[in-house]
Amino acid sequence: MIKKQLIITVLCLIFYSGIQAQTPIQSRQYPQNYFRYPLDLPPTTAGSFGELRPAHFHSGLDFKTNQRTGYPVHAAADGYVSRVRVQFGGFGRAVYITHPNGYTTVYGHLEAFSPAIAAIVKAYQYDHQTYEADFNLDPKHVPLQKGDVFAMSGNAGASAGPHVHFEIRDTQTEQTINPQLFGLTIPDRVPPSITSIGIYHLNGNPFSEKTPKEFLAVTGAAGNYHLLKPQVLHLSGYVGFGINTTDMNSTSANHNGIYSLELKLDGQTVYTFTVERFAFDQTHAINAYIDYPAFESSRRWMQKCFILPGSHISLYPQSINRGIITFDDNALHDVEYVVKDVAGNTSTLKLKVQSEKFTPPVYKVAGTLFHFDEKSEFSTDKVKVSIMPGNLYDDLDFIYSVSPKPASGFSQVHHIHNRLTPIHDSYDLWIKPDADLGKYADKAVIVSTINGCQGGYFQDGYIKSKVTAFGDYFIKIDTIPPIIRPLNIINGKNMAAAKSINFRMSDNLSGIKSYAGTIDNKWVLMEWDYKSKILSYTFSGEIAPGKHVFKLTVGDNKNNFSEFTADFYK
């Protein structure tokens, strides 16, 4: 009996190993055993490569650090520091290491650089009189060997908690690539989960918030899923499918993204999505991948299994008719979703679809038809809209209307289509003021009723700006300078025991553009922390005992300036 159980156990292990050893769908092979993990901690992640984030696909792995900062960060392989970046948001502090095998690794949200890198960064900041820095280095400056410590892990920039964001990029193209394809795997025996599906009745029309659709709940576990209410679906015409699916690994309770998604019709794959690699100028195309109207209106992450004609991200290695299926033959069909993570764990969901005869409807345009692959323009005597090819993912029935000027406005409110249609990058928006702005022309900005100031400049009688979304816009004037609020300094204060001088600053409209601090008329380095929003100068040995004068100047994007000056003693 024991011998029989042993044989069964061995066979199960062989079967399981076969599942785990499945090669992910990928366009090429990547070096194995070349890179090491960036931390000397058991690998566990809070975020996966390619997982869905607002307006972008996640570009790397987020390695957890036990909710702490200060762990040594190691070079993943031999190479040299080729770029260093310090910024208010984003990665906060980041290091880029170029390797001789054609790849570059990136490490973000760092707490501190090594002394060698820190000295170079500080010299750059003082030379250019700026806290934010982004510069390249030659191979001779900071060479590294595999495993060398060059930074400490942190929580800098726009991070949600302590971790190391890690990327592997193609050095030449700068495309970011899934690090797990290089063998930097995360223990994972958990198949993806599926919570619902979507059915879209496209019928040859452009996809929009008006596309008829239905969402169906799904139940199941351990990789086997089915509709909550089993049924034969009766469908006709041109149909697209969608799915709400996430993944977990064996080391973390975080819900992350999947690796690949296939849609099959009667056993033939008609659509494939994989998070192998992508370019950063494509990442906004996540808004073409998801059901953007559903996300904007209800935060539902429905992932469409059909490709919009204006989406060109390299995450679709295969499709037939862009994944759109025609049902019109009165036959019974099998539709299957196959969802995998990068470890090969698989979940499936099968549907029965009864196809019915179909008569294509006539597409009626209510406004102005914009084509996704052509320059699109719209104008009245008060507004101009110009959209270059590459910014729309599908043809658009563009709708415009106008409403009265708000109390604080200098124009009517122009309703530029609606927020449920995404823009890939930006478009030109010109709005004419309702009256002569006179001396305030250079203080005028275009404002979104939802997203606030969109910038702008006066030219040819219009306020012009590049905006990144459809919505409701009007003109405002910004003449109010930023507010400076000192936190621990007043005129004449003894700062001998203080480690830093701290401020908060804010602006009412166009936003903070610049800030500069001086002590005794010499520029000093001030850091603006993204999370606390505190601007601080940290004392160093450069400040001698005695009386000193501190001055802070803050400007907004419309050149309104505020100053704070105080004597202090050290």
Side-chain angles (χ1 to χ4, degrees):
M1 181 68 180
I2 295 176
K3 183 177 181 181
K4 182 178 180 181
Q5 288 179 336
L6 180 62
I7 293 173
I8 292 173
T9 301
V10 171
L11 289 174
C12 288
L13 287 173
I14 292 172
F15 175 74
Y16 177 77
S17 299
I19 293 176
Q20 291 298 98
Q22 292 183 44
T23 301
I25 299 170
Q26 57 192 90
S27 63
R28 68 205 75 182
Q29 297 301 309
Y30 299 97
Q32 303 296 302
N33 304 315
Y34 186 91
F35 295 110
R36 58 154 286 168
Y37 294 94
L39 298 166
D40 282 335
L41 295 172
T44 177
T45 54
S48 65
F49 181 87
E51 80 177 36
L52 311 183
R53 303 283 180 90
H56 70 284
F57 292 98
H58 189 233
S59 58
L61 294 179
D62 285 345
F63 284 100
K64 289 187 174 184
T65 57
N66 297 324
Q67 298 182 344
R68 292 171 44 197
T69 64
Y71 284 100
V73 181
H74 301 265
D78 293 354
Y80 69 95
V81 174
S82 55
R83 181 183 175 190
V84 181
R85 188 171 189 184
V86 179
Q87 59 187 138
F88 171 60
F91 289 155
R93 298 179 189 88
V95 169
Y96 300 67
I97 301 176
T98 295
H99 307 281
N101 67 340
Y103 297 98
T104 295
T105 50
V106 182
Y107 313 76
H109 305 301
L110 305 172
E111 181 176 60
F113 301 122
S114 68
I117 298 174
I120 294 172
V121 170
K122 185 175 182 179
Y124 178 94
Q125 291 171 322
Y126 270 85
D127 287 345
H128 294 79
Q129 296 193 354
T130 176
Y131 169 71
E132 295 205 1
D134 186 359
F135 58 90
N136 298 321
L137 292 172
D138 294 330
K140 64 182 180 181
H141 285 106
V142 189
L144 295 170
Q145 292 184 329
K146 186 175 184 177
D148 283 352
V149 175
F150 63 88
M152 305 302 284
S153 69
N155 190 26
S159 59
H163 70 275
V164 172
H165 175 93
F166 177 75
E167 299 178 9
I168 300 179
R169 299 185 185 180
D170 183 307
T171 301
Q172 184 173 5
T173 67
E174 293 196 31
Q175 286 191 340
T176 185
I177 308 165
N178 196 321
Q180 294 203 63
L181 299 179
F182 292 81
L184 298 180
T185 57
I186 309 300
D188 187 355
R189 296 188 177 187
V190 184
S193 62
I194 303 172
T195 56
S196 62
I197 65 168
I199 299 172
Y200 298 85
H201 304 276
L202 301 169
N203 297 332
N205 297 331
F207 175 78
S208 73
E209 75 279 4
K210 297 179 181 178
T211 299
K213 59 189 174 185
E214 52 197 305
F215 298 134
L216 302 177
V218 167
T219 188
N224 297 303
Y225 290 85
H226 57 83
L227 293 179
L228 183 61
K229 296 180 179 180
Q231 58 184 294
V232 174
L233 302 175
H234 292 261
L235 300 176
S236 64
Y238 307 122
V239 174
F241 289 86
I243 188 170
N244 192 326
T245 177
T246 58
D247 187 45
M248 297 174 64
N249 60 52
S250 299
T251 71
S252 171
N254 292 73
H255 289 268
N256 301 139
I258 62 171
Y259 177 76
S260 67
L261 170 58
E262 295 174 86
L263 183 69
K264 297 185 178 185
L265 175 66
D266 299 326
Q268 182 183 20
T269 302
V270 297
Y271 166 91
T272 304
F273 168 86
T274 62
V275 288
E276 176 187 355
R277 59 191 292 157
F278 62 87
F280 285 94
D281 62 359
Q282 300 174 336
T283 191
H284 290 167
I286 188 175
N287 292 331
Y289 172 63
I290 63 172
D291 180 341
Y292 187 78
F295 177 75
E296 278 293 300
S297 58
S298 63
R299 283 304 185 256
R300 182 192 293 266
W301 289 99
M302 184 62 63
Q303 300 164 59
K304 302 200 303 293
C305 299
F306 57 96
I307 306 168
L308 301 187
S311 176
H312 303 295
I313 194 166
S314 57
L315 300 181
Y316 306 116
Q318 177 272 342
S319 71
I320 297 174
N321 193 34
R322 297 189 286 113
I324 299 170
I325 300 173
T326 303
F327 292 111
D328 67 350
D329 59 1
N330 291 323
L332 186 66
H333 295 278
D334 294 312
V335 173
E336 181 181 15
Y337 296 87
V338 180
V339 187
K340 296 183 180 181
D341 60 29
V342 73
N345 302 300
T346 303
S347 294
T348 61
L349 185 152
K350 297 181 180 179
L351 308 171
K352 289 289 186 182
V353 175
Q354 177 63 54
S355 175
E356 299 178 347
K357 283 294 183 181
F358 167 69
T359 301
V362 177
Y363 180 51
K364 296 181 180 180
V365 178
T368 302
L369 183 60
F370 285 177
H371 295 285
F372 71 91
D373 55 353
E374 298 176 5
K375 182 178 180 180
S376 300
E377 294 183 305
F378 173 87
S379 65
T380 70
D381 62 335
K382 296 292 186 179
V383 68
K384 294 182 181 181
V385 174
S386 179
I387 307 174
M388 296 302 293
N391 282 294
L392 295 175
Y393 298 120
D394 208 339
D395 289 350
L396 175 66
D397 184 1
F398 177 82
I399 303 296
Y400 166 81
S401 62
V402 66
S403 58
K405 177 175 65 176
S408 61
F410 285 76
S411 74
Q412 297 172 304
V413 178
H414 299 271
H415 306 286
I416 311 299
H417 199 64
N418 65 62
R419 65 184 180 88
L420 300 180
T421 296
I423 293 292
H424 183 74
D425 185 20
S426 65
Y427 64 95
D428 292 318
L429 175 62
W430 301 3
I431 298 178
K432 181 174 288 188
D434 283 352
D436 183 9
L437 298 179
K439 64 179 182 179
Y440 296 115
D442 64 344
K443 301 293 185 181
V445 294
I446 291 177
V447 174
S448 161
T449 58
I450 293 178
N451 298 318
C453 181
Q454 304 296 301
Y457 60 96
F458 181 80
Q459 187 180 68
D460 302 328
Y462 290 85
I463 306 302
K464 302 181 179 181
S465 185
K466 285 188 175 294
V467 297
T468 58
F470 289 131
D472 304 331
Y473 297 95
F474 65 99
I475 295 173
K476 289 187 75 172
I477 298 298
D478 183 3
T479 59
I480 301 175
I483 295 173
I484 300 173
R485 185 159 67 92
L487 300 181
N488 68 340
I489 184 173
I490 59 175
N491 192 46
K493 184 173 181 179
N494 188 326
M495 303 289 288
K499 296 181 179 180
S500 60
I501 303 176
N502 304 320
F503 297 86
R504 291 189 189 276
M505 56 185 182
S506 60
D507 189 66
N508 73 313
L509 185 55
S510 61
I512 301 293
K513 179 182 179 181
S514 64
Y515 54 90
T518 63
I519 294 179
D520 302 332
N521 294 319
K522 293 182 180 180
W523 185 90
V524 293
L525 179 64
M526 303 197 71
E527 177 178 350
W528 194 13
D529 183 75
Y530 182 81
K531 295 179 181 63
S532 69
K533 301 300 188 287
I534 291 177
L535 180 70
S536 61
Y537 163 74
T538 301
F539 284 111
S540 65
E542 300 170 353
I543 305 301
K547 181 181 178 181
H548 300 277
V549 179
F550 180 89
K551 181 179 178 181
L552 175 63
T553 304
V554 180
D556 67 15
N557 282 286
K558 281 295 161 179
N559 296 320
N560 302 298
F561 292 92
S562 294
E563 289 186 355
F564 171 88
T565 302
D567 295 340
F568 71 93
Y569 295 86
K570 192 67 175 166

